[in-house]
Amino acid sequence: MTPYLSIVVPVYNEEGNLDNLMQRLYPVLAGMGRPFEIIFTDDGSRDRSLEILKRLAHHYPEVRVIEFNGNFGQHMAIMAAFEISRGEIVVTLDADLQNPPEEIPKLVAEMENGHDVVGTIRQNRQDSVFRKSASRLVNITTRKMTGMKMTDYGCMLRAYHRNVVNNINRCGEASTFIPALAQTFASSPSEIEVAHAERSEGESKYSFYKLIRLNFDLMTGFSVVPLQLFALTGIVTALGALAFALFLLIRRFVVGAEVEGVFTLFAILFFFIGITIFGIGIVGEYVGRIYQEVRRRPRYVVRRVYGGSDEG
């Protein structure tokens, strides 16, 4: 029977959460009275996650497990699951239980009201002050840069219609951010509030560096605003430098030769150099993305699929 609902769960070193996740997720889906499938993607876990997932695939006929050949990242893990998903509605869910599986019926109900993408807004977030601040910064920056109206970019508990998933599958980008990519294909997006819980086991996989990388992927993957801002900064800086040069020229005629202000000139010089290096970094980010695309290397490598008719 073709499933109506597909649940996609990327997994990376989540051995302490998987059994609890399944004990809560399966009754929720069974209680909805619709055929469903659960697709786990093991993203190169170094703990017992894959072993547990294979056991779940053997025990539950609705479970399929994709085993990656290495660590390719959360979004590539979701993309691989999208490729084999069959449901009319596809829901992405983290394995850490911070987004309660009990919230899934709310997303499905919102989809059945005529929306093709349903985002979520975490209420009473149980994260650290650093995580909340970093997430808020990413949300504000992304909205300003891309013009997309999404409240909470960091919450992966989201629902997508089959048409949106099919369009995402047609994209061959080497790096992407799925919620923003789906937003570009959505004709009737929506957002709802969902509960949020503390992580019971393990640690967050997003370090400070990875959060910065995520922000760069969002900015450079969906907008050219950084390049435009740098060009505008260059114009303003050049005009300022010209005005300052005229000021120094006039001052020399009025006051005469002097050696004061050398350190001020050095400070201004270092400021200009900083702007230049920052701009080169932005341009390099775009060039790097182009380099990744033209190499046409596989975005991920699937070693094996367990469960269902694909097992072998």
Side-chain angles (χ1 to χ4, degrees):
M1 181 183 298
T2 302
Y4 174 74
L5 184 63
S6 296
I7 308 298
V8 170
V9 186
V11 175
Y12 180 64
N13 294 340
E14 296 286 359
E15 63 177 0
N17 291 315
L18 292 175
D19 283 324
N20 290 336
L21 171 64
M22 199 62 185
Q23 290 172 9
R24 292 173 57 181
L25 176 61
Y26 193 88
V28 170
L29 299 178
M32 295 178 67
R34 301 289 189 91
F36 64 90
E37 63 178 354
I38 306 172
I39 305 174
F40 293 97
T41 302
D42 179 70
D43 189 22
S45 296
R46 296 189 297 269
D47 59 3
R48 295 177 53 254
S49 293
L50 180 60
E51 177 185 337
I52 296 172
L53 291 176
K54 288 193 288 186
R55 172 168 54 80
L56 293 177
H58 178 75
H59 185 73
Y60 296 95
E62 297 89 353
V63 172
R64 287 192 288 173
V65 176
I66 301 172
E67 179 187 358
F68 270 1
N69 198 41
N71 180 249
F72 294 92
Q74 180 188 39
H75 293 273
M76 289 302 105
I78 293 174
M79 293 290 285
F82 277 2
E83 290 280 354
I84 69 170
S85 66
R86 297 169 293 168
E88 187 70 14
I89 296 175
V90 181
V91 176
T92 57
L93 175 70
D94 284 336
D96 56 14
L97 286 172
Q98 287 195 277
N99 298 129
E102 292 79 10
E103 300 287 341
I104 291 177
K106 293 170 58 176
L107 277 76
V108 174
E110 186 73 3
M111 289 287 290
E112 291 175 341
N113 285 335
H115 300 287
D116 52 1
V117 171
V118 176
T120 53
I121 305 170
R122 290 169 286 189
Q123 298 299 296
N124 300 318
R125 285 189 61 178
Q126 303 300 312
D127 288 327
S128 65
V129 175
F130 164 72
R131 287 300 303 276
K132 291 179 182 178
S133 301
S135 179
R136 189 178 299 111
L137 178 62
V138 169
N139 290 337
I140 294 173
T141 304
T142 303
R143 281 197 297 270
K144 295 293 185 182
M145 290 292 182
T146 65
M148 295 181 182
K149 296 180 179 180
M150 294 174 61
T151 304
D152 191 350
Y153 281 79
C155 187
M156 290 306 295
L157 178 58
R158 296 176 179 273
Y160 307 97
H161 190 272
R162 168 53 50 187
N163 292 337
V164 174
V165 173
N166 289 341
N167 284 324
I168 291 175
N169 288 339
R170 295 189 184 100
C171 297
E173 301 172 14
S175 60
T176 190
F177 186 75
I178 291 174
L181 183 61
Q183 199 77 1
T184 63
F185 297 123
S187 59
S188 178
S190 176
E191 289 185 326
I192 62 173
E193 295 181 351
V194 294
H196 192 250
E198 292 185 10
R199 170 183 275 271
S200 58
E201 298 285 345
E203 299 178 351
S204 172
K205 308 306 183 294
Y206 275 99
S207 63
F208 180 68
Y209 172 74
K210 288 185 177 180
L211 287 173
I212 293 177
R213 287 298 314 158
L214 173 63
N215 207 12
F216 268 109
D217 281 342
L218 279 167
M219 288 191 299
T220 59
F222 297 92
S223 174
V224 294
V225 169
L227 288 177
Q228 295 168 342
L229 288 178
F230 178 62
L232 181 61
T233 302
I235 294 173
V236 173
T237 303
L239 292 175
L242 178 61
F244 188 66
L246 290 174
F247 167 76
L248 292 178
L249 180 63
I250 295 172
R251 180 181 174 85
R252 183 176 180 84
F253 282 114
V254 173
V255 180
E258 57 182 351
V259 295
E260 290 85 355
V262 173
F263 291 105
T264 301
L265 290 175
F266 271 116
I268 295 172
L269 176 62
F270 290 151
F271 173 72
F272 289 161
I273 291 174
I275 291 178
T276 302
I277 294 175
F278 177 70
I280 292 173
I282 292 177
V283 174
E285 183 70 23
Y286 280 95
V287 173
R289 293 182 69 91
I290 295 172
Y291 175 62
Q292 289 179 329
E293 296 296 336
V294 299
R295 286 187 303 179
R296 306 303 299 170
R297 292 182 181 177
R299 296 180 296 172
Y300 51 82
V301 179
V302 175
R303 178 177 293 170
R304 188 173 176 181
V305 177
Y306 302 89
S309 59
D310 296 314
E311 186 168 8

PDB file of all heavy atoms in Angstrom, residues 207-237:
ATOM      1  N   SER A 207      27.868  23.070  16.150  1.00  0.00           N
ATOM      2  CA  SER A 207      28.807  23.902  16.879  1.00  0.00           C
ATOM      3  C   SER A 207      28.686  25.343  16.406  1.00  0.00           C
ATOM      4  O   SER A 207      27.951  25.649  15.461  1.00  0.00           O
ATOM      5  CB  SER A 207      30.235  23.395  16.655  1.00  0.00           C
ATOM      6  OG  SER A 207      30.587  23.499  15.279  1.00  0.00           O
ATOM      7  N   PHE A 208      29.444  26.241  17.059  1.00  0.00           N
ATOM      8  CA  PHE A 208      29.427  27.647  16.649  1.00  0.00           C
ATOM      9  C   PHE A 208      29.884  27.791  15.195  1.00  0.00           C
ATOM     10  O   PHE A 208      29.297  28.539  14.417  1.00  0.00           O
ATOM     11  CB  PHE A 208      30.327  28.465  17.576  1.00  0.00           C
ATOM     12  CG  PHE A 208      30.384  29.929  17.229  1.00  0.00           C
ATOM     13  CD1 PHE A 208      29.278  30.744  17.395  1.00  0.00           C
ATOM     14  CD2 PHE A 208      31.556  30.480  16.733  1.00  0.00           C
ATOM     15  CE1 PHE A 208      29.322  32.091  17.065  1.00  0.00           C
ATOM     16  CE2 PHE A 208      31.618  31.828  16.406  1.00  0.00           C
ATOM     17  CZ  PHE A 208      30.502  32.633  16.577  1.00  0.00           C
ATOM     18  N   TYR A 209      30.911  27.028  14.816  1.00  0.00           N
ATOM     19  CA  TYR A 209      31.413  27.096  13.438  1.00  0.00           C
ATOM     20  C   TYR A 209      30.359  26.622  12.450  1.00  0.00           C
ATOM     21  O   TYR A 209      30.158  27.231  11.389  1.00  0.00           O
ATOM     22  CB  TYR A 209      32.677  26.251  13.304  1.00  0.00           C
ATOM     23  CG  TYR A 209      33.157  26.103  11.875  1.00  0.00           C
ATOM     24  CD1 TYR A 209      33.777  27.160  11.214  1.00  0.00           C
ATOM     25  CD2 TYR A 209      32.976  24.908  11.178  1.00  0.00           C
ATOM     26  CE1 TYR A 209      34.207  27.033   9.901  1.00  0.00           C
ATOM     27  CE2 TYR A 209      33.399  24.773   9.870  1.00  0.00           C
ATOM     28  CZ  TYR A 209      34.016  25.838   9.239  1.00  0.00           C
ATOM     29  OH  TYR A 209      34.426  25.702   7.940  1.00  0.00           O
ATOM     30  N   LYS A 210      29.662  25.528  12.785  1.00  0.00           N
ATOM     31  CA  LYS A 210      28.644  25.012  11.872  1.00  0.00           C
ATOM     32  C   LYS A 210      27.474  25.978  11.737  1.00  0.00           C
ATOM     33  O   LYS A 210      26.865  26.071  10.665  1.00  0.00           O
ATOM     34  CB  LYS A 210      28.152  23.638  12.347  1.00  0.00           C
ATOM     35  CG  LYS A 210      29.173  22.531  12.142  1.00  0.00           C
ATOM     36  CD  LYS A 210      28.613  21.177  12.502  1.00  0.00           C
ATOM     37  CE  LYS A 210      29.619  20.067  12.213  1.00  0.00           C
ATOM     38  NZ  LYS A 210      29.077  18.730  12.562  1.00  0.00           N
ATOM     39  N   LEU A 211      27.158  26.703  12.803  1.00  0.00           N
ATOM     40  CA  LEU A 211      26.096  27.711  12.710  1.00  0.00           C
ATOM     41  C   LEU A 211      26.509  28.838  11.772  1.00  0.00           C
ATOM     42  O   LEU A 211      25.694  29.358  11.000  1.00  0.00           O
ATOM     43  CB  LEU A 211      25.780  28.266  14.107  1.00  0.00           C
ATOM     44  CG  LEU A 211      25.008  27.330  15.048  1.00  0.00           C
ATOM     45  CD1 LEU A 211      24.921  27.945  16.437  1.00  0.00           C
ATOM     46  CD2 LEU A 211      23.620  27.039  14.502  1.00  0.00           C
ATOM     47  N   ILE A 212      27.798  29.224  11.823  1.00  0.00           N
ATOM     48  CA  ILE A 212      28.295  30.249  10.896  1.00  0.00           C
ATOM     49  C   ILE A 212      28.217  29.735   9.471  1.00  0.00           C
ATOM     50  O   ILE A 212      27.792  30.448   8.551  1.00  0.00           O
ATOM     51  CB  ILE A 212      29.734  30.638  11.266  1.00  0.00           C
ATOM     52  CG1 ILE A 212      29.761  31.342  12.620  1.00  0.00           C
ATOM     53  CG2 ILE A 212      30.347  31.542  10.197  1.00  0.00           C
ATOM     54  CD1 ILE A 212      31.155  31.697  13.105  1.00  0.00           C
ATOM     55  N   ARG A 213      28.628  28.467   9.263  1.00  0.00           N
ATOM     56  CA  ARG A 213      28.577  27.887   7.919  1.00  0.00           C
ATOM     57  C   ARG A 213      27.130  27.845   7.405  1.00  0.00           C
ATOM     58  O   ARG A 213      26.870  28.101   6.227  1.00  0.00           O
ATOM     59  CB  ARG A 213      29.138  26.458   7.935  1.00  0.00           C
ATOM     60  CG  ARG A 213      30.631  26.375   8.097  1.00  0.00           C
ATOM     61  CD  ARG A 213      31.377  27.030   6.961  1.00  0.00           C
ATOM     62  NE  ARG A 213      30.813  26.644   5.671  1.00  0.00           N
ATOM     63  CZ  ARG A 213      30.959  27.350   4.559  1.00  0.00           C
ATOM     64  NH1 ARG A 213      31.604  28.491   4.586  1.00  0.00           N
ATOM     65  NH2 ARG A 213      30.446  26.920   3.431  1.00  0.00           N
ATOM     66  N   LEU A 214      26.209  27.513   8.300  1.00  0.00           N
ATOM     67  CA  LEU A 214      24.805  27.478   7.924  1.00  0.00           C
ATOM     68  C   LEU A 214      24.333  28.852   7.461  1.00  0.00           C
ATOM     69  O   LEU A 214      23.621  28.976   6.460  1.00  0.00           O
ATOM     70  CB  LEU A 214      23.965  27.001   9.109  1.00  0.00           C
ATOM     71  CG  LEU A 214      22.445  27.055   8.948  1.00  0.00           C
ATOM     72  CD1 LEU A 214      21.999  26.138   7.821  1.00  0.00           C
ATOM     73  CD2 LEU A 214      21.749  26.691  10.245  1.00  0.00           C
ATOM     74  N   ASN A 215      24.747  29.886   8.180  1.00  0.00           N
ATOM     75  CA  ASN A 215      24.351  31.240   7.812  1.00  0.00           C
ATOM     76  C   ASN A 215      24.922  31.623   6.451  1.00  0.00           C
ATOM     77  O   ASN A 215      24.239  32.254   5.628  1.00  0.00           O
ATOM     78  CB  ASN A 215      24.820  32.224   8.885  1.00  0.00           C
ATOM     79  CG  ASN A 215      23.954  33.462   8.939  1.00  0.00           C
ATOM     80  OD1 ASN A 215      22.879  33.505   8.350  1.00  0.00           O
ATOM     81  ND2 ASN A 215      24.409  34.481   9.636  1.00  0.00           N
ATOM     82  N   PHE A 216      26.158  31.227   6.180  1.00  0.00           N
ATOM     83  CA  PHE A 216      26.755  31.514   4.877  1.00  0.00           C
ATOM     84  C   PHE A 216      26.026  30.759   3.770  1.00  0.00           C
ATOM     85  O   PHE A 216      25.805  31.295   2.677  1.00  0.00           O
ATOM     86  CB  PHE A 216      28.241  31.138   4.876  1.00  0.00           C
ATOM     87  CG  PHE A 216      29.148  32.271   5.261  1.00  0.00           C
ATOM     88  CD1 PHE A 216      29.795  32.270   6.481  1.00  0.00           C
ATOM     89  CD2 PHE A 216      29.343  33.342   4.408  1.00  0.00           C
ATOM     90  CE1 PHE A 216      30.619  33.319   6.852  1.00  0.00           C
ATOM     91  CE2 PHE A 216      30.168  34.400   4.768  1.00  0.00           C
ATOM     92  CZ  PHE A 216      30.815  34.388   5.988  1.00  0.00           C
ATOM     93  N   ASP A 217      25.656  29.497   4.044  1.00  0.00           N
ATOM     94  CA  ASP A 217      24.910  28.734   3.041  1.00  0.00           C
ATOM     95  C   ASP A 217      23.580  29.404   2.721  1.00  0.00           C
ATOM     96  O   ASP A 217      23.150  29.452   1.568  1.00  0.00           O
ATOM     97  CB  ASP A 217      24.661  27.302   3.540  1.00  0.00           C
ATOM     98  CG  ASP A 217      25.884  26.416   3.388  1.00  0.00           C
ATOM     99  OD1 ASP A 217      26.785  26.785   2.619  1.00  0.00           O
ATOM    100  OD2 ASP A 217      25.940  25.363   4.051  1.00  0.00           O
ATOM    101  N   LEU A 218      22.916  29.902   3.754  1.00  0.00           N
ATOM    102  CA  LEU A 218      21.637  30.575   3.549  1.00  0.00           C
ATOM    103  C   LEU A 218      21.810  31.854   2.737  1.00  0.00           C
ATOM    104  O   LEU A 218      21.060  32.117   1.797  1.00  0.00           O
ATOM    105  CB  LEU A 218      20.999  30.897   4.905  1.00  0.00           C
ATOM    106  CG  LEU A 218      20.262  29.751   5.592  1.00  0.00           C
ATOM    107  CD1 LEU A 218      19.971  30.095   7.036  1.00  0.00           C
ATOM    108  CD2 LEU A 218      18.976  29.433   4.868  1.00  0.00           C
ATOM    109  N   MET A 219      22.808  32.659   3.107  1.00  0.00           N
ATOM    110  CA  MET A 219      22.991  33.947   2.438  1.00  0.00           C
ATOM    111  C   MET A 219      23.439  33.784   0.994  1.00  0.00           C
ATOM    112  O   MET A 219      22.908  34.427   0.090  1.00  0.00           O
ATOM    113  CB  MET A 219      24.015  34.795   3.206  1.00  0.00           C
ATOM    114  CG  MET A 219      23.505  35.342   4.522  1.00  0.00           C
ATOM    115  SD  MET A 219      24.625  36.568   5.235  1.00  0.00           S
ATOM    116  CE  MET A 219      26.110  35.597   5.469  1.00  0.00           C
ATOM    117  N   THR A 220      24.421  32.909   0.765  1.00  0.00           N
ATOM    118  CA  THR A 220      24.973  32.791  -0.581  1.00  0.00           C
ATOM    119  C   THR A 220      24.185  31.832  -1.466  1.00  0.00           C
ATOM    120  O   THR A 220      24.302  31.885  -2.687  1.00  0.00           O
ATOM    121  CB  THR A 220      26.437  32.316  -0.514  1.00  0.00           C
ATOM    122  OG1 THR A 220      26.503  31.040   0.152  1.00  0.00           O
ATOM    123  CG2 THR A 220      27.293  33.316   0.244  1.00  0.00           C
ATOM    124  N   GLY A 221      23.391  30.954  -0.850  1.00  0.00           N
ATOM    125  CA  GLY A 221      22.633  29.993  -1.635  1.00  0.00           C
ATOM    126  C   GLY A 221      21.310  30.521  -2.152  1.00  0.00           C
ATOM    127  O   GLY A 221      20.748  29.977  -3.103  1.00  0.00           O
ATOM    128  N   PHE A 222      20.806  31.599  -1.541  1.00  0.00           N
ATOM    129  CA  PHE A 222      19.474  32.070  -1.913  1.00  0.00           C
ATOM    130  C   PHE A 222      19.419  33.568  -2.175  1.00  0.00           C
ATOM    131  O   PHE A 222      18.337  34.124  -2.318  1.00  0.00           O
ATOM    132  CB  PHE A 222      18.476  31.708  -0.810  1.00  0.00           C
ATOM    133  CG  PHE A 222      18.327  30.229  -0.607  1.00  0.00           C
ATOM    134  CD1 PHE A 222      19.113  29.560   0.319  1.00  0.00           C
ATOM    135  CD2 PHE A 222      17.437  29.493  -1.368  1.00  0.00           C
ATOM    136  CE1 PHE A 222      19.001  28.196   0.501  1.00  0.00           C
ATOM    137  CE2 PHE A 222      17.317  28.128  -1.197  1.00  0.00           C
ATOM    138  CZ  PHE A 222      18.100  27.475  -0.258  1.00  0.00           C
ATOM    139  N   SER A 223      20.569  34.228  -2.238  1.00  0.00           N
ATOM    140  CA  SER A 223      20.558  35.669  -2.462  1.00  0.00           C
ATOM    141  C   SER A 223      21.925  36.151  -2.909  1.00  0.00           C
ATOM    142  O   SER A 223      22.955  35.558  -2.565  1.00  0.00           O
ATOM    143  CB  SER A 223      20.156  36.393  -1.166  1.00  0.00           C
ATOM    144  OG  SER A 223      20.267  37.790  -1.322  1.00  0.00           O
ATOM    145  N   VAL A 224      21.938  37.244  -3.701  1.00  0.00           N
ATOM    146  CA  VAL A 224      23.189  37.917  -4.072  1.00  0.00           C
ATOM    147  C   VAL A 224      23.317  39.234  -3.309  1.00  0.00           C
ATOM    148  O   VAL A 224      24.170  40.062  -3.623  1.00  0.00           O
ATOM    149  CB  VAL A 224      23.256  38.186  -5.600  1.00  0.00           C
ATOM    150  CG1 VAL A 224      23.334  36.891  -6.364  1.00  0.00           C
ATOM    151  CG2 VAL A 224      22.068  39.030  -6.063  1.00  0.00           C
ATOM    152  N   VAL A 225      22.497  39.411  -2.281  1.00  0.00           N
ATOM    153  CA  VAL A 225      22.540  40.644  -1.488  1.00  0.00           C
ATOM    154  C   VAL A 225      23.917  40.891  -0.879  1.00  0.00           C
ATOM    155  O   VAL A 225      24.388  42.034  -0.866  1.00  0.00           O
ATOM    156  CB  VAL A 225      21.446  40.616  -0.402  1.00  0.00           C
ATOM    157  CG1 VAL A 225      21.639  41.761   0.592  1.00  0.00           C
ATOM    158  CG2 VAL A 225      20.073  40.721  -1.038  1.00  0.00           C
ATOM    159  N   PRO A 226      24.636  39.858  -0.344  1.00  0.00           N
ATOM    160  CA  PRO A 226      25.977  40.142   0.195  1.00  0.00           C
ATOM    161  C   PRO A 226      26.912  40.791  -0.814  1.00  0.00           C
ATOM    162  O   PRO A 226      27.661  41.706  -0.472  1.00  0.00           O
ATOM    163  CB  PRO A 226      26.478  38.748   0.613  1.00  0.00           C
ATOM    164  CG  PRO A 226      25.241  37.996   0.937  1.00  0.00           C
ATOM    165  CD  PRO A 226      24.235  38.469  -0.073  1.00  0.00           C
ATOM    166  N   LEU A 227      26.874  40.319  -2.054  1.00  0.00           N
ATOM    167  CA  LEU A 227      27.705  40.930  -3.094  1.00  0.00           C
ATOM    168  C   LEU A 227      27.278  42.371  -3.355  1.00  0.00           C
ATOM    169  O   LEU A 227      28.117  43.265  -3.521  1.00  0.00           O
ATOM    170  CB  LEU A 227      27.620  40.118  -4.392  1.00  0.00           C
ATOM    171  CG  LEU A 227      28.324  38.755  -4.395  1.00  0.00           C
ATOM    172  CD1 LEU A 227      28.082  38.047  -5.718  1.00  0.00           C
ATOM    173  CD2 LEU A 227      29.814  38.922  -4.162  1.00  0.00           C
ATOM    174  N   GLN A 228      25.983  42.596  -3.387  1.00  0.00           N
ATOM    175  CA  GLN A 228      25.485  43.951  -3.627  1.00  0.00           C
ATOM    176  C   GLN A 228      25.848  44.884  -2.473  1.00  0.00           C
ATOM    177  O   GLN A 228      26.228  46.043  -2.689  1.00  0.00           O
ATOM    178  CB  GLN A 228      23.967  43.909  -3.838  1.00  0.00           C
ATOM    179  CG  GLN A 228      23.552  43.149  -5.084  1.00  0.00           C
ATOM    180  CD  GLN A 228      22.062  42.870  -5.136  1.00  0.00           C
ATOM    181  OE1 GLN A 228      21.378  42.942  -4.124  1.00  0.00           O
ATOM    182  NE2 GLN A 228      21.548  42.554  -6.321  1.00  0.00           N
ATOM    183  N   LEU A 229      25.759  44.386  -1.247  1.00  0.00           N
ATOM    184  CA  LEU A 229      26.128  45.201  -0.091  1.00  0.00           C
ATOM    185  C   LEU A 229      27.614  45.535  -0.107  1.00  0.00           C
ATOM    186  O   LEU A 229      28.021  46.656   0.226  1.00  0.00           O
ATOM    187  CB  LEU A 229      25.775  44.470   1.208  1.00  0.00           C
ATOM    188  CG  LEU A 229      24.291  44.378   1.554  1.00  0.00           C
ATOM    189  CD1 LEU A 229      24.105  43.574   2.839  1.00  0.00           C
ATOM    190  CD2 LEU A 229      23.683  45.770   1.725  1.00  0.00           C
ATOM    191  N   PHE A 230      28.438  44.562  -0.512  1.00  0.00           N
ATOM    192  CA  PHE A 230      29.873  44.822  -0.571  1.00  0.00           C
ATOM    193  C   PHE A 230      30.192  45.850  -1.651  1.00  0.00           C
ATOM    194  O   PHE A 230      31.045  46.728  -1.460  1.00  0.00           O
ATOM    195  CB  PHE A 230      30.638  43.528  -0.832  1.00  0.00           C
ATOM    196  CG  PHE A 230      32.115  43.730  -0.961  1.00  0.00           C
ATOM    197  CD1 PHE A 230      32.852  44.238   0.097  1.00  0.00           C
ATOM    198  CD2 PHE A 230      32.776  43.435  -2.140  1.00  0.00           C
ATOM    199  CE1 PHE A 230      34.218  44.445  -0.015  1.00  0.00           C
ATOM    200  CE2 PHE A 230      34.134  43.642  -2.265  1.00  0.00           C
ATOM    201  CZ  PHE A 230      34.860  44.141  -1.196  1.00  0.00           C
ATOM    202  N   ALA A 231      29.516  45.742  -2.792  1.00  0.00           N
ATOM    203  CA  ALA A 231      29.725  46.731  -3.849  1.00  0.00           C
ATOM    204  C   ALA A 231      29.317  48.125  -3.367  1.00  0.00           C
ATOM    205  O   ALA A 231      30.021  49.119  -3.623  1.00  0.00           O
ATOM    206  CB  ALA A 231      28.926  46.355  -5.091  1.00  0.00           C
ATOM    207  N   LEU A 232      28.189  48.206  -2.652  1.00  0.00           N
ATOM    208  CA  LEU A 232      27.744  49.488  -2.118  1.00  0.00           C
ATOM    209  C   LEU A 232      28.736  50.024  -1.080  1.00  0.00           C
ATOM    210  O   LEU A 232      29.057  51.226  -1.076  1.00  0.00           O
ATOM    211  CB  LEU A 232      26.364  49.328  -1.482  1.00  0.00           C
ATOM    212  CG  LEU A 232      25.728  50.597  -0.894  1.00  0.00           C
ATOM    213  CD1 LEU A 232      25.524  51.644  -1.984  1.00  0.00           C
ATOM    214  CD2 LEU A 232      24.392  50.260  -0.224  1.00  0.00           C
ATOM    215  N   THR A 233      29.245  49.144  -0.237  1.00  0.00           N
ATOM    216  CA  THR A 233      30.249  49.549   0.748  1.00  0.00           C
ATOM    217  C   THR A 233      31.507  50.079   0.065  1.00  0.00           C
ATOM    218  O   THR A 233      32.106  51.065   0.508  1.00  0.00           O
ATOM    219  CB  THR A 233      30.607  48.363   1.665  1.00  0.00           C
ATOM    220  OG1 THR A 233      29.431  47.885   2.308  1.00  0.00           O
ATOM    221  CG2 THR A 233      31.630  48.779   2.710  1.00  0.00           C
ATOM    222  N   GLY A 234      31.905  49.407  -1.024  1.00  0.00           N
ATOM    223  CA  GLY A 234      33.067  49.868  -1.773  1.00  0.00           C
ATOM    224  C   GLY A 234      32.880  51.264  -2.341  1.00  0.00           C
ATOM    225  O   GLY A 234      33.797  52.097  -2.310  1.00  0.00           O
ATOM    226  N   ILE A 235      31.671  51.535  -2.855  1.00  0.00           N
ATOM    227  CA  ILE A 235      31.389  52.862  -3.414  1.00  0.00           C
ATOM    228  C   ILE A 235      31.440  53.926  -2.320  1.00  0.00           C
ATOM    229  O   ILE A 235      32.071  54.972  -2.470  1.00  0.00           O
ATOM    230  CB  ILE A 235      30.020  52.865  -4.115  1.00  0.00           C
ATOM    231  CG1 ILE A 235      30.041  51.950  -5.343  1.00  0.00           C
ATOM    232  CG2 ILE A 235      29.624  54.292  -4.516  1.00  0.00           C
ATOM    233  CD1 ILE A 235      28.683  51.767  -5.980  1.00  0.00           C
ATOM    234  N   VAL A 236      30.782  53.649  -1.203  1.00  0.00           N
ATOM    235  CA  VAL A 236      30.763  54.606  -0.097  1.00  0.00           C
ATOM    236  C   VAL A 236      32.172  54.832   0.443  1.00  0.00           C
ATOM    237  O   VAL A 236      32.577  55.971   0.732  1.00  0.00           O
ATOM    238  CB  VAL A 236      29.828  54.107   1.019  1.00  0.00           C
ATOM    239  CG1 VAL A 236      29.931  55.007   2.248  1.00  0.00           C
ATOM    240  CG2 VAL A 236      28.395  54.051   0.522  1.00  0.00           C
ATOM    241  N   THR A 237      32.942  53.746   0.570  1.00  0.00           N
ATOM    242  CA  THR A 237      34.313  53.870   1.067  1.00  0.00           C
ATOM    243  C   THR A 237      35.177  54.694   0.124  1.00  0.00           C
ATOM    244  O   THR A 237      35.978  55.533   0.549  1.00  0.00           O
ATOM    245  CB  THR A 237      34.923  52.477   1.269  1.00  0.00           C
ATOM    246  OG1 THR A 237      34.103  51.718   2.163  1.00  0.00           O
ATOM    247  CG2 THR A 237      36.323  52.580   1.841  1.00  0.00           C
TER     248      THR A 237
END
